[in-house]
Amino acid sequence: MTPAEAARAGDPERSTLDKAADENFPVAPFFLPKAWRDDLMAVYGFARLVDDIGDGDLAPGGADARLLGVSPEEAKDRLVLLDAFEADLRKVFDSTPGHPLLRRLQPTVRRTGLTPEPFLGLIAANRQDQVVKRYETYDDLLAYCELSANPVGRLVLAVTGTSTPERIRLSDAVCTALQIVEHLQDVAEDLGRDRVYLPAEDMKRFHVQEEDLAALTAGASARALVAYEAERARNLLNEGTPLVGSVHGRLKLLLAGFVAGGRAAIRAIAAAEYDVLPGPPKPGKIQLLREVGVTLRGEG
C-alpha cells in the first residue's frame, strides 16, 4: 500500500469526497451559494460511496466496512455491505448514523426536508447491479435508470428548493440521458465487470455479439449500435433541456452544465466515429464551454 493509499484508508470520508474532482460534471461548483455546495457535496458523498460499494471500489483497508458494522469475513460481500449501508442510511432520518459520510448528510436532510426514497433508489440500483448483468429491452434499461440516475436530479432539485412535478419530469429525462451516455463511454469497462448495458434486443437488431464488444476497436455493426443509442440519449437530452430555462440565476448555470456535459460527450463519441472500445471518448473543455453557451441560449 502506497503512502497515499494508506492516508485514504485512514480517512474513508475524504477518500470518497476527493473523487468529485474526477467526475464528468462539477459536483458543487464555486459559483453556487456555500449552503448549496455543502449540501450537494453531502449528497455526492452518499452517491459516490454507494456506487463504490456496488462496484467493489472502496478504499483499501476495510475502514468503510468497519464503520458500517460489517465483519472482515463479510467485507467482500457487496450485498451485505449494501444492506448495512441502507440500515445506516435509515438512521439519518431518526437517530445517528455510524458512517461519517452519512453523518455529514444528516444536516442536509434536516435542513432541506429530503426523504429516504431517492437514496433508497440509488441503493436498489447497486443491488440490482449485483444480480442483473444484462438488459433485454430498452424499457428494462430505462427502469434501471429510474433507480440509478433519476434520483440524483431529484435530489439536486430538492436541495435547491426548486422541485415541481414538471421539473422532476424534465430532470428525469436529462438524468436518464446522462446515464445512457456514460454507459456508451464505458462499454469496455463495464464488460470487464461482466455488465452489458446495451439492450439485448438492440444488439440482435444490429447483429452485435458480446465478443464484438471485447475487441480492441469496434466494427461497423457495433458502431451503428452505439450511434443508435447515442441518438436516443440526444433525444432525451433535448426533451429535458427546458429544465434549464425553467430556473434562474446560478442554478440555471449548474443545470446548463449538466445538459452541456451530456451533449459534449455525445459529440465526442460521434467524433470517435462511435468507436468507444479503445476507451471512453471525452470532450475537451472548449467543446464543453461551447455547449454550455448553446444550452443557455436555448439553442439545440
Side-chain angles (χ1 to χ4, degrees):
M1 185 183 298
T2 68
E5 288 174 335
R8 289 196 298 270
D11 187 357
E13 181 180 11
R14 179 49 47 195
S15 173
T16 300
L17 294 176
D18 282 350
K19 294 182 180 181
D22 299 324
E23 298 292 342
N24 285 336
F25 311 102
V27 172
F30 70 92
F31 56 79
L32 294 178
K34 184 179 185 303
W36 284 7
R37 294 200 309 272
D38 291 346
D39 290 340
L40 289 172
M41 281 303 297
V43 168
Y44 171 78
F46 169 90
R48 182 69 269 165
L49 182 58
V50 72
D51 279 354
D52 286 348
I53 293 172
D55 290 340
D57 288 337
L58 292 173
D64 290 297
R66 289 193 297 274
L67 287 165
L68 294 172
V70 175
S71 69
E73 294 75 25
E74 293 185 299
K76 297 293 185 183
D77 189 323
R78 298 178 193 178
L79 287 171
V80 169
L81 284 170
L82 289 168
D83 286 347
F85 191 55
E86 178 179 332
D88 209 28
L89 167 70
R90 292 184 182 277
K91 294 178 183 176
V92 169
F93 297 89
D94 59 21
S95 56
T96 302
H99 199 288
L101 284 170
L102 294 179
R103 290 199 297 272
R104 171 188 284 260
L105 181 62
Q106 195 164 44
T108 293
V109 165
R110 290 174 174 169
R111 183 166 52 248
T112 61
L114 299 180
T115 63
E117 284 72 24
F119 300 104
L120 293 173
L122 294 172
I123 294 174
N126 278 275
R127 279 204 188 94
Q128 189 164 312
D129 275 336
Q130 309 313 310
V131 295
V132 180
K133 306 292 188 180
R134 308 290 188 275
Y135 291 86
E136 180 62 31
T137 69
Y138 182 62
D139 284 344
D140 292 338
L141 184 64
L142 293 182
Y144 169 73
C145 292
E146 179 70 23
L147 297 174
S148 68
N150 298 359
V152 176
R154 295 182 180 205
L155 286 166
V156 171
L157 292 176
V159 161
T160 57
T162 54
S163 294
T164 67
E166 177 62 5
R167 284 180 181 144
I168 289 171
R169 184 187 72 81
L170 296 171
S171 171
D172 285 353
V174 171
C175 290
T176 292
L178 296 179
Q179 180 76 87
I180 291 172
V181 170
E182 184 176 340
H183 288 159
L184 294 179
Q185 290 175 309
D186 294 340
V187 167
E189 178 183 336
D190 289 334
L191 187 64
R193 299 180 189 270
D194 191 28
R195 296 176 187 166
V196 177
Y197 294 104
L198 297 166
E201 66 178 7
D202 296 342
M203 292 179 64
K204 292 172 187 173
R205 175 181 174 182
F206 285 90
H207 307 289
V208 174
Q209 306 291 325
E210 284 194 20
E211 51 263 35
D212 298 324
L213 304 180
L216 295 178
T217 61
S221 295
R223 292 180 193 226
L225 171 59
V226 171
Y228 177 72
E229 304 300 350
E231 183 63 20
R232 280 176 152 170
R234 183 184 291 108
N235 290 338
L236 279 169
L237 272 180
N238 290 340
E239 177 186 338
T241 296
L243 175 67
V244 177
S246 78
V247 299
H248 304 283
R250 300 175 188 183
L251 180 59
K252 186 184 186 80
L253 184 55
L254 177 69
L255 298 183
F258 293 155
V259 172
R263 286 177 168 169
I266 291 171
R267 287 189 185 276
I269 291 170
E273 298 180 334
Y274 301 101
D275 185 4
V276 297
L277 299 186
K282 299 281 189 178
K285 289 185 178 179
I286 293 176
Q287 180 64 51
L288 179 57
L289 289 173
R290 184 178 296 122
E291 293 292 346
V292 169
V294 168
T295 303
L296 286 171
R297 290 193 299 270
E299 302 170 9

